[in-house]
Amino acid sequence: MLSKEEVLKVFEETGGVLHGHFRLTSGRHSDTYMQCAKLFIDTDASAKLCGALAEKLEGINADMVISPAIGGILMGYEMARQLHLPNIFAERENGEMTIRRGFSFEKGTRFIVVEDVVTTGGSVKEVVKLVQDMGGIVEAVASIVDRSNGKVDFGVKFVNLISMDVVSYEESECPICKEGKIELVKPGSRTFKK
């Protein structure tokens, strides 16, 4: 089992921890961003972290792995490989999470929903609801990083490698915006309505 320090070291070594002024997927602002896309450039490092997360899922009876696109696709694939399960992903179409590309599953299929970094869990909650609405069963949610520090609730078992309380702000309360010295960057894949 990897310690929090060992996980953070892998992130630092792969350039997966960014410092600056970021708009998170949730729309909140933060001075720290966990960029798992950088982590997945290094196949050995990402396999190491996903392997450690797969160990924590031991005993979860699942038939398939699903992740939200785009950020969760690489992790979903690696987690499915580590768990020896089939893998699909959900993606947005007209603003709603959906299953496309010929993916399908039977009612009663048991899932592990995976996402690289969870802050508010919005995308994961959408995938959980989608699976349930289609007759699937969500056995667990898994992420490498829980930025909510244990505050997010998916209504199912939630497993992560590290739990952190990275401070984030509503845009109107962001001290970095008020200071006006660092440009706001949106490194994630999701677009926002103003």
Side-chain angles (χ1 to χ4, degrees), residues 13 68 99 116 124 154 156:
E13 288 172 350
I99 302 289
D116 50 6
V124 171
F154 298 110
V156 297

Side-chain angles (χ1 to χ4, degrees), residues 25-26 67-72 90 92 97 113-115 117-130 154 189-190:
T25 300
S26 64
S67 57
I70 288 176
R92 290 189 192 286
M97 279 293 181
V113 179
V114 302
E115 175 71 296
V117 179
V118 168
T119 303
T120 62
S123 296
V124 171
K125 289 175 184 175
E126 289 179 68
V127 173
V128 168
K129 182 178 182 324
L130 173 66
F154 298 110
S189 59
R190 196 161 158 196

